[in-house]
Every structure is written in structure tokens, then in C-alpha cells.
Amino acid sequence: MSSKRSVLLLMSVVLELTGLTRSFQPLFAFDGNSTSHRDITQRAVLRKTAEVCRDMTRTDGMDFSLTIDDSLTVDRVQEACSFSDNSTSLVSSVLFHTSIANMYFSNAYVDLVSVLSDEHHFDSEMFQKGRDLITKGVSAVKASVKLENFIAGRWTLGRVCHTLQDFYSHSNWVELGNTSPYNTLIIPEQTLENLAGPNISTCRNCTGENCDDNILPDVLQQGLLTSGYFSLLSSEKPEGKCSHGGSFDKTSKREPVGGINKDVIESSHGSLHHEAADLAVNATVELLEDIRTAVGDKNFLRLMGLSPSSALCFVIDTTGSMSDDIAEAKRVSFNIIDSKRGTQQEPSAYILVPFNDPGFGPLLLTTDADKFKESIDGLTASGGGDIPELCLSGLQLALTAAPPLSEIFVFTDAPAKDAHLKSTITALIESTKSEVTFMLTDVLSTRRKRALSQADAQLYRDLARASGGQAIEVSKSDLALATSVIEDSSSSAVVTIFQVVMNPGKPDNFTFTLDSSLRSIIIYITGTSSLSFNLTSSTGVSQDSSESSGPLGSLSSAGNLRRLTLNNDSETGLWEISVDSNDPYSVKVAGQSSKNFIFNLVEANKGVHGDFFLKEGRPLSGSNATLLLTVAGSDSVRIPEVTLYDSSGPTEVTGTSQSFGDSNFLVTFNDIPAGDFVVRLRGEESNASSRSTPSVFQRQASTQIKTSSISVTAQVNSTSIEPGSTVSIPFTVTATSNGVVNETASGTYTVRATNDRSFSSTSPSSVTIETDSGGKANGTVTLTAPDSAASGTDVTLTIEAEDAAATDINYIVLRFSIAAEVTDVNRPVCQEVSTTTNCSSSSLCDSSQWEFVANVTDGINGTGIDIITIREGNGTLNTTTVVGPAGENITVVSYQASCCADRVELSVVDNVGNVGMCVGQVRQSSTVAPVTAANVTTNLTTSVTTNTTSAGGRTLSTTLWFWATAVALPFWK
């Protein structure tokens, strides 16, 4: 298909989607002037993240020069927040981009699966139920962060933000003249007031197409809160009530006709669209601040995904023959931790999954390097029984726990006993875009029985290829030489420039482009010992595989791996590598650069929420596919070429791109044939201060994109599960031909449903498409969370369908959060006991002290105080827990500081994340009698615990926020 035809096709889809919305557009505002949920979410995340970084840098006495406004970009915030060291290491914003994308895709998902749910959109005056969704969701986010489960926290946060943001578009809050967010929506203990009752009329007919004044004057004068009614199916609504409006809303045709939504500029109240969007941004910022206060600054930044480095993730076989491998895993991980601690290259998280037979796990996921070191140091090699081990079960745990785009290293010398999980692992690799590299050790010299056969090793090679990783086969004695790839990958800003896997092998020449932003370029080649190669630079200088040290770089070998480290002064431009081998081999060119890209498959939905949405599973053979592609590391880039490349063909499909600003592009590929593809990008960056030729760069995504003629879809009404409850997930398997439903198809498809938590689950073993069923078959999967499931954890469910010939498969990956019912919605209570001071002269403030004492309680039915943090102040905080007269736990807080710092702000968070704030302030002339222990603990008995924190260690084991003065009661925000 011609490039011109491709552009016309993409534009026709865009035009069809314009205006078909019931909320802020989920991802794209195609009119070019409106604001989408994606825009709102990203603006809020960038503002709050920058604010947190600013506060942290100023606390540490450093400068923060970034101006915080709505012009922030992901790259600028990432750069400004990279303050942990003074090194010159490169910083990549890829993980930050990916985390924000997780949040806005989850946000958009609400419009896909909850399209008819009034409470999810604050329609039909569902204010209490909408607020309840926010309350439950925020509680789940805080619980996830408390368990360091940041992935689940992001997906839940995105859904919460959607509902919160829709309030400002769908209600009359803006029309009432409000210029600040309605913070009662995120403070559940406050009462929703001034709601228009069910019998109160709120609207009148619009005047033709003009709906600017259709809200009744009495409603506006009395400040009554209302929202529009909406229905796809019926025009029924309470008499006199406003409608949402729009061509899909049947209620808007019934008197009073018209609507009040502000979703886009063309909406009924579109003249107020930007005011509503700005309020939605500010409300999202307030929500993020509440979460920040509950979880702390460092965990908040981890939730936002602000980390220049990926996780360090090991999956390790612990059977008897693996003692050498375990020792090497310890050595290399300890070296990475010790050398990178406190720098930009420190891993964002540490993950460890041991496996053997008959067990695997438990999973360790932590941000504490010392905890990881202790766990991996405690591994021992023992047992083993029969030869195969549960390698893929351990890998499944790692894939669902690790952040997207992680690199996972698997150490084993045995075949996989659970090879049936291969397709599930492949699905998770494609979904998470994580790389998996296998360290396969041959132990023929000690335990001949455990040697991997070629068939056993091929399973690992296939998985490595699907992920863009490598299968490195070495002897135990050479393992230390091969683990250099782990240290290579642990560097920040690692990018793949070029990668190809040839199976079957054949002699071939490959070209790739090196650009000036690249550092530490390494070429990895795997293959048999007979393989030879020749590398030629852009200026014609060559080096072959016989030279360990040549004009282009240094070569080392271990097992099937050759590692060629290029010289630091390597020329930019087009390079060539020629490989001579008839056996399978792989070539990977990697380096460090801040310039990279991420992509996600999206698909158009022309329903009520017409837009693109994240596509789970594989694209359909013979159909079109669309990528949302984001370039990281540059705010001024164009991408003249994006291709899908299949080396087994070789087949290459070139896409057509459309820019949506901020280095975001929609790339459409037409008529994709069957195959396994990788995404390759050629970009050009222009220097605004120079008229020189744009800098050209090449990047390649690691994860393969496979096509399928099977479609798997699921209907999920809720993505949260209460402990002890069961959810039913209806799914549909569809047979397609050239990308459209094959209504005459028939056949039986094998169904596999697996989850990573070993939760109880039921599913059919197969579904059958009958000749008269329109090419579709339905089934249902159930998933039961045990009573013991902790709130804040998550479970990943993979549903696969495979054809009868076992040659074609597709899947859908669903993520559910465990969220216990929220019963404690009240913030902890603070009562000032006393303020004592002798701050009489500002000139002598260094030698004078003051003290603030207060009692903090979460009440009889509360969940208890978790953490108390000094938000502002430079003194020492002591806490003692005692039991009050009614049996309630009371935390006695005593804060002492120099009179030079005469104000303290404390935050107190209970065990479900409810937050309050209080400020203690002294006056220079105040004189209060000294406080004794008897004053503090009057009517209190049974001291439980005592904690002390000074300015150098700001977080305690309890939580709450106080506002207090030397002579006044607390004032709650």
C-alpha cells in the first residue's frame, strides 16, 4: 500500500473518532485544541513529581532551577530530578515514560470497560458512588505502595484519576463559578453537601444548538451540585434533569434537551472545556499530594517510575549442582550493588526468585539493596531429585513482578519441567517487553545426567529470542567471563541499536548506524565455535574474529558468547558486520544513550469513547496495526522511518507516522503478513541553534511482535478483587482471516488460563467455534482470591487460545489488584497537650529550645497509626505509644527544636493511608510552664513503644499531620 494511501487511511480513522466521546478524550484530542485524559494525567504527574524533587533537593541544600508549570516534559523533569550524584552518567527517561503510559492507558481503560457505569464518570448525579470509587482506589494505591508493588499501584491510580477527572467535565462545578478543586472527593470523612435532590429540576431546554445557559438559574444561585444523565439505550431520565449530551446520549433528546458536558471544545458546554481540564489537572495534583504524604517522597517517586535504571532481577536454580552458579550470581550482584549504590545507575528495585523441584519462590521484591544481598547470600544448592526443574514457574513470577522493560537473568543447568508454560511466558514477555537472558551451564564433567540436550536448550533460546535477550551457554568455569553481560545491562540508559537472530543460520551481512549520543558500545555474538565474523566501520576500517585486540575494539569469548567492546572513539555513521556460519547465531549491538523509544500496540474503538486504546495480545495477520510510539531523550525529533522487520523472511513492513507532539507518534502498518517482527526506528534530531544536517540515530525494540489469526478478548467489569471473593471473566475466541472475522470458520481451540499467584481458578480446557456461530466462541474463567490475600498485592491472569494444529496462538493478559473493603476512612486525630518555649531573643536562638507535645489517636475503630514524619522542621521527634482510658492506642508526640526553627509541620498516616496535617508554631514572647511526664500521660496507662527521630532521620514508625499553634487548637485542612 502506498505511503499516500496510508496517510489517508489514518486520517479517515481519526475523523471517524472525532467527537464520539462521553468524557475527556481518553488518549488523543483529535481536534487539536481539546485536552485528553492522557494530557491531564501527564501534566499532573509531571507537576507533582517536579515539586517533590524540588522539595527534596532544597532539603538537601541543593539548587532546583526547573520552572514548574504546564510546559514540563518528561525528559526535562527526569533530568531535573537526577540529583543523586554528580557523575556524568547518562540518564534515560524511558522508565518514566513507560510508567506514565501505564497510568494513562489504565485511565483510558475505564472508558472501554465501564462505558455504561454512571459512577465511574460521575454521571446521573452519582456523587456518593463516584466518591466511593475514588476512596477505595486511593486506599488500594497506598496499600500497593506499602508493599512496594508499584506496578499495581500505577494501574489502580490511573483508573482513580479517570473518575476524579470526569467530575469536572460532567458536573456543573465549573458553572457554579468554582476555581479550585472539590477536595471533598478525596477526603471521604467529609460530607458531600449541597447536592441537587432527586426531585429538583436542574436544566431547561437548550436554545437550538446553544446550551450555554441551560442550567436553571436557581441551581446556580443556590450552588446546587448536579451532573448530566446519560444512556445509550433509553431516553428515560428524571423529570427536569440535565443530560450529558452528545450524539450517543439518548436522554439528551428528551426534555430538557441538550447537555452540560465539557469533554471537548465542541461539547454542549465546550466553552468551559479548558477551565474543566485545568481543574481536573489541579484535582489530580491534589490527589497525588495526598498519596505522596501517605507513602513518603522516595516511594512516591518510585510510584511515578522516576528511575534512570531498571531493576536487577535474578531467577536462580538452587538444586545441588548449582553451587558455583549461585556463588557467581552473588559475586556479580554484590559488585553491581556496591559500585552503583547512591548513583544514577543504582537499580530501581531488586528481584530474586529461586526455583528447584518441587518448588519455586518465594518472590523477593524490594528496593532495599541490603535486604536483597542478605537473601541471595542465603541461597544454598541442595537436592534436585529428577533432572528437570520448575524454571518457567520461577520466571513467570519474575515477569509479573518486575517493572516493564526489565532485564531478567535466569541461571540454570537443567531442562524445564514446566515446559507447558512456554506460551504463557512468551505472552508475558510480549506484554511486559522485558528481556530474558539465560545463563546455561554445562556440567558434563561432574553430573553427566544434568547436561542440557539441544531440545532442552532450544526452549530457552526461543524465549530469549522472543524477548530480545540471549541464551549464553558456558561451562561452570567460564561463567564468570559470561556474566559481564549482566554488568553491562545494569548501566543506565542502555539501548539496543541492532539485533538479529538467524535460525537456521546462513552467511550474511548486516548494517547498523552509530550516532554521536552513544557511549560504551558492545557487540554480542552467539554461535558455534566455527562461527567467524568481520566488522567494518563507517570509514572502512575492519577487524575480524581472530583479533582479540584490534583497531575497532577488544574481543573476549566465553562458551558460545563473543563480546566485542568498541573503542571509545568509534566513528559515527553506517557500520557493517559480516557473519559466516551455517549454524544458528545471533548478533546484538548495544550501547548507552539517553535517546531511545517505547511503543505500545493500540487499536481504534469507534464506540461512545471513540479513540485508541491499549491492545492486549497479538495483532491479527493480514490486518493493520497501530503503535503509539514515544521517543525519549529528545523534545525535537522526527521519525522518517519505522519498520517491522522479520529476519526469517526476511520481510520488512514500513509504517506511516503522525505526530501528536511531545515526541509522541501514531504509526500505522498496513496488511501485516504472518511472522515474528521487531520494531526498528530511524530518527532525526534537529539542533534548534544550528542549521547543520540533522543527527540520525537508529534504535531497535527488543521484544518481538508476533501476528495471529486468532483474537482473544475479555469482558472485565472490575479490576479489583476483595480477599475471599471470586470474579468471573467472560472471554471470546474469534477466528479471523486477513484481519476480519471469519464468520464461516469452525474448529476447537485449546484454552489455558494461568495466574502467577497460584490462586484457585477454573476455565474450560477448550472452546469450539460452530459453523453457524459467526466465527466466535465464548467461555468463562473464574479467579478466587484467598482470604489471606493482602490488600495491595496483585494477580496477573493470562488467557490463551491455541488452534487445533498447535501452530497459532493468541492471548490476553489481565491484571487485578487485591483491595480489601475500606472501613477506616477517618484521619487520625491530633490534640495539642502543650507548647513550651523560652525563645525570648532571636539573637540567641541557637542556645534556646522549644517543645511541642500532642496526643495522636486513630480512634477505637481505626486501623492504628503507621508513620509520623517531619514535613517541615529541623528538630528531634520522639513518640511513645500508650493505652487510653477507652482502650484506644494513643501516640504521644514530643518535638524539640532550636528557637531558630520555630515552626514544625508533621504528617501522620494510619495503617490504611489516611492522612492529616498539623503545624506547631511558637511566638517569641510566649511563656508556657514546663511539661512533665505526668502532664503528658494523665489518664493514660500501659506504655507500649518509644521511637526517636531527628532531622537526619525523618520518618518514624507511625503517621499523621498536625496543624497547631502555641495557643490554639489544631486546624485541619
Side-chain angles (χ1 to χ4, degrees):
M1 184 175 288
S2 69
S3 176
K4 181 178 180 180
R5 183 181 170 192
S6 299
V7 172
L8 292 174
L9 177 63
L10 179 61
M11 291 307 299
S12 69
V13 171
V14 168
L15 291 173
E16 284 181 343
L17 295 174
T18 304
L20 307 184
T21 180
R22 182 194 173 188
S23 66
F24 293 119
Q25 283 291 143
L27 293 181
F28 299 107
F30 295 105
D31 59 16
N33 296 310
S34 299
T35 303
S36 69
H37 277 291
R38 181 178 67 90
D39 300 325
I40 293 167
T41 302
Q42 180 160 302
R43 282 166 58 187
V45 167
L46 293 179
R47 272 176 47 186
K48 181 49 61 180
T49 301
E51 288 173 9
V52 174
C53 292
R54 178 198 61 199
D55 295 346
M56 292 178 70
T57 53
R58 290 179 177 175
T59 298
D60 292 337
M62 297 185 290
D63 293 331
F64 187 86
S65 58
L66 183 65
T67 300
I68 301 177
D69 55 25
D70 285 335
S71 68
L72 294 172
T73 66
V74 175
D75 291 319
R76 289 173 59 204
V77 172
Q78 176 78 66
E79 181 179 3
C81 290
S82 300
F83 48 74
S84 64
D85 65 7
N86 295 318
S87 71
T88 58
S89 59
L90 293 172
V91 175
S92 172
S93 61
V94 160
L95 297 179
F96 195 21
H97 273 288
T98 301
S99 298
I100 294 174
N102 289 161
M103 287 183 269
Y104 63 62
F105 277 127
S106 175
N107 186 317
Y109 189 66
V110 176
D111 273 339
L112 196 62
V113 300
S114 301
V115 62
L116 300 180
S117 171
D118 289 332
E119 55 262 36
H120 279 86
H121 309 284
F122 276 111
D123 287 330
S124 305
E125 299 183 323
M126 289 287 185
F127 295 113
Q128 184 62 55
K129 289 186 176 180
R131 204 264 295 272
D132 289 346
L133 284 175
I134 295 172
T135 298
K136 184 175 181 179
V138 170
S139 178
V141 172
K142 294 173 180 177
S144 294
V145 174
K146 193 173 183 179
L147 296 179
E148 297 188 340
N149 194 351
F150 302 112
I151 303 171
R154 289 181 203 121
W155 284 100
T156 304
L157 177 58
R159 296 192 295 271
V160 172
C161 288
H162 184 100
T163 299
L164 177 67
Q165 292 160 6
D166 269 2
F167 170 82
Y168 298 94
S169 175
H170 296 179
S171 76
N172 65 330
W173 183 257
V174 177
E175 287 85 346
L176 291 174
N178 293 296
T179 57
S180 299
Y182 187 32
N183 55 24
T184 298
L185 295 177
I186 62 172
I187 306 177
E189 65 189 35
Q190 292 186 0
T191 303
L192 295 165
E193 297 179 339
N194 233 30
L195 305 181
N199 298 319
I200 296 178
S201 296
T202 54
C203 268
R204 58 192 174 193
N205 289 333
C206 296
T207 305
E209 297 296 321
N210 186 352
C211 293
D212 289 346
D213 62 350
N214 62 332
I215 298 179
L216 293 174
D218 286 349
V219 171
L220 300 177
Q221 291 169 8
Q222 297 174 40
L224 298 180
L225 191 61
T226 186
S227 67
Y229 282 72
F230 178 92
S231 178
L232 283 171
L233 307 174
S234 171
S235 62
E236 294 297 319
K237 66 178 178 182
E239 185 176 351
K241 289 295 186 181
C242 302
S243 289
H244 174 86
S247 59
F248 280 85
D249 178 18
K250 288 195 172 183
T251 75
S252 66
K253 310 303 186 294
R254 183 188 182 99
E255 291 193 352
V257 298
I260 65 169
N261 85 82
K262 297 161 282 293
D263 295 335
V264 293
I265 291 176
E266 292 81 9
S267 297
S268 304
H269 280 200
S271 61
L272 297 174
H273 167 77
H274 288 300
E275 287 88 337
D278 289 343
L279 275 175
V281 172
N282 293 335
T284 306
V285 169
E286 283 193 356
L287 177 70
L288 295 175
E289 173 63 23
D290 176 74
I291 294 171
R292 168 211 183 169
T293 305
V295 304
D297 288 350
K298 289 185 178 179
N299 274 339
F300 178 81
L301 294 183
R302 290 173 181 139
L303 176 65
M304 296 298 101
L306 189 72
S307 175
S309 296
S310 60
L312 181 63
C313 185
F314 286 171
V315 180
I316 301 178
D317 186 340
T318 59
T319 46
S321 62
M322 288 292 294
S323 57
D324 292 341
D325 307 61
I326 293 172
E328 177 56 23
K330 291 178 186 178
R331 185 198 67 78
V332 70
S333 63
F334 282 23
N335 185 55
I336 291 170
I337 291 169
D338 294 338
S339 63
K340 301 181 184 299
R341 194 193 297 260
T343 73
Q344 293 294 336
Q345 299 186 50
E346 182 175 3
S348 60
Y350 302 90
I351 298 170
L352 176 64
V353 184
F355 69 89
N356 46 55
D357 180 25
F360 60 94
L363 165 79
L364 171 70
L365 168 61
T366 182
T367 55
D368 185 338
D370 292 325
K371 186 175 181 180
F372 177 81
K373 290 177 73 172
E374 180 182 352
S375 296
I376 198 170
D377 194 44
L379 294 181
T380 58
S382 62
D386 58 351
I387 298 171
E389 314 296 346
L390 297 176
C391 178
L392 300 193
S393 296
L395 180 55
Q396 181 182 22
L397 272 184
L399 281 165
T400 55
L405 304 178
S406 292
E407 184 155 9
I408 300 170
F409 294 93
V410 182
F411 291 77
T412 188
D413 62 1
K417 190 171 188 175
D418 45 9
H420 63 276
L421 289 175
K422 179 183 179 181
S423 59
T424 301
I425 297 299
T426 304
L428 292 173
I429 284 171
E430 294 175 14
S431 178
T432 63
K433 300 181 178 64
S434 291
E435 289 186 36
V436 182
T437 290
F438 292 89
M439 296 291 180
L440 307 176
T441 49
D442 183 359
V443 291
L444 283 175
S445 60
T446 56
R447 290 187 61 185
R448 186 173 299 273
K449 288 183 179 180
R450 285 184 65 86
L452 284 165
S453 69
Q454 287 300 310
D456 296 330
Q458 192 59 48
L459 168 65
Y460 298 137
R461 295 179 193 130
D462 291 345
L463 293 175
R465 178 186 180 186
S467 72
Q470 302 177 79
I472 299 172
E473 303 165 36
V474 294
S475 65
K476 300 263 186 204
S477 60
D478 284 343
L479 181 59
L481 299 175
T483 53
S484 57
V485 300
I486 302 177
E487 299 191 57
D488 295 342
S489 70
S490 68
S491 300
S492 63
V494 176
V495 301
T496 298
I497 304 158
F498 170 82
Q499 186 170 16
V500 66
V501 177
M502 300 298 290
N503 187 11
K506 65 174 183 177
D508 211 337
N509 300 328
F510 308 99
T511 59
F512 55 91
T513 299
L514 301 185
D515 63 89
S516 59
S517 74
L518 290 165
R519 301 181 190 173
S520 304
I521 304 165
I522 302 174
I523 300 176
Y524 304 95
I525 303 170
T526 64
T528 61
S529 59
S530 61
L531 177 147
S532 63
F533 67 86
N534 184 275
L535 178 68
T536 305
S537 73
S538 58
T539 58
V541 179
S542 294
Q543 179 176 336
D544 64 37
S545 51
S546 65
E547 301 175 84
S548 60
S549 180
L552 299 180
S554 301
L555 178 66
S556 61
S557 300
N560 71 333
L561 173 68
R562 294 161 179 81
R563 178 176 176 268
L564 178 60
T565 303
L566 298 191
N567 298 330
N568 292 331
D569 58 351
S570 297
E571 301 96 344
T572 61
L574 189 67
W575 287 52
E576 181 178 80
I577 185 168
S578 302
V579 181
D580 185 7
S581 179
N582 290 310
D583 298 311
Y585 63 86
S586 70
V587 178
K588 180 175 183 177
V589 183
Q592 296 180 43
S593 172
S594 58
K595 233 181 246 73
N596 204 354
F597 76 99
I598 63 171
F599 76 90
N600 287 279
L601 277 165
V602 295
E603 59 184 343
N605 182 288
K606 302 177 184 180
V608 177
H609 300 291
D611 203 337
F612 289 89
F613 294 86
L614 182 67
K615 175 177 174 54
E616 284 284 3
R618 296 171 174 169
L620 299 177
S621 304
S623 70
N624 301 330
T626 303
L627 304 182
L628 172 55
L629 187 148
T630 302
V631 179
S634 176
D635 293 329
S636 57
V637 68
R638 51 184 300 270
I639 50 172
E641 185 176 271
V642 182
T643 60
L644 296 179
Y645 177 78
D646 181 0
S647 61
S648 63
T651 303
E652 192 165 346
V653 183
T654 301
T656 302
S657 64
Q658 178 186 11
S659 174
F660 278 87
D662 296 330
S663 300
N664 293 298
F665 302 86
L666 272 180
V667 184
T668 297
F669 301 91
N670 301 312
D671 304 326
I672 303 175
D676 301 344
F677 299 92
V678 292
V679 182
R680 288 184 178 172
L681 164 71
R682 184 172 69 86
E684 293 181 355
E685 183 178 34
S686 300
N687 188 339
S689 62
S690 171
R691 294 185 179 181
S692 60
T693 303
S695 173
V696 177
F697 63 94
Q698 173 184 331
R699 298 293 183 268
Q700 179 172 313
S702 298
T703 311
Q704 285 189 338
I705 296 177
K706 301 175 184 288
T707 61
S708 174
S709 61
I710 306 168
S711 171
V712 182
T713 57
Q715 295 78 48
V716 181
N717 294 324
S718 175
T719 52
S720 64
I721 312 175
E722 290 188 10
S725 66
T726 299
V727 294
S728 295
I729 304 103
F731 68 90
T732 301
V733 176
T734 305
T736 70
S737 177
N738 294 321
V740 297
V741 179
N742 184 355
E743 297 186 355
T744 62
S746 62
T748 298
Y749 294 79
T750 300
V751 173
R752 288 183 291 270
T754 58
N755 70 85
D756 62 329
R757 298 286 184 184
S758 299
F759 285 0
S760 176
S761 178
T762 65
S763 69
S765 59
S766 64
V767 294
T768 300
I769 296 179
E770 306 292 348
T771 54
D772 57 351
S773 62
K776 298 183 178 182
N778 299 317
T780 299
V781 174
T782 68
L783 184 65
T784 301
D787 294 331
S788 59
S791 188
T793 58
D794 68 339
V795 56
T796 300
L797 174 68
T798 306
I799 304 174
E800 307 165 56
E802 185 176 40
D803 65 5
T807 57
D808 194 5
I809 190 171
N810 210 338
Y811 62 87
I812 186 168
V813 177
L814 304 170
R815 298 167 182 87
F816 298 87
S817 295
I818 307 302
E821 182 181 359
V822 180
T823 57
D824 179 10
V825 298
N826 296 313
R827 292 172 295 173
V829 176
C830 164
Q831 182 178 10
E832 180 187 2
V833 174
S834 63
T835 300
T836 306
T837 179
N838 59 359
C839 302
S840 57
S841 172
S842 59
S843 62
L844 300 175
C845 64
D846 279 335
S847 59
S848 303
Q849 295 281 318
W850 68 285
E851 181 180 40
F852 173 70
V853 179
N855 292 336
V856 180
T857 179
D858 200 33
I860 294 292
N861 298 318
T863 52
I865 304 300
D866 181 26
I867 301 172
I868 297 179
T869 304
I870 301 174
R871 289 276 293 181
E872 180 182 337
N874 195 29
T876 301
L877 187 65
N878 293 281
T879 64
T880 301
T881 303
V882 297
V883 177
E888 74 276 25
N889 286 330
I890 296 178
T891 301
V892 181
V893 176
S894 174
Y895 174 83
Q896 300 90 27
S898 160
C899 291
C900 296
D902 60 356
R903 185 177 185 274
V904 62
E905 181 177 315
L906 304 174
S907 69
V908 181
V909 186
D910 65 19
N911 280 299
V912 293
N914 295 311
V915 178
M917 186 189 301
C918 169
V919 171
Q921 179 80 47
V922 298
R923 298 172 181 171
Q924 296 296 333
S925 59
S926 64
T927 302
V928 182
V931 178
T932 66
N935 297 136
V936 177
T937 59
T938 301
N939 296 323
L940 307 179
T941 59
T942 316
S943 178
V944 181
T945 59
T946 300
N947 294 283
T948 302
T949 291
S950 64
R954 305 175 66 84
T955 302
L956 299 180
S957 58
T958 48
T959 42
L960 180 43
W961 290 28
F962 304 122
W963 282 87
T965 67
V967 294
L969 294 176
F971 291 95
W972 290 99
K973 281 188 176 181

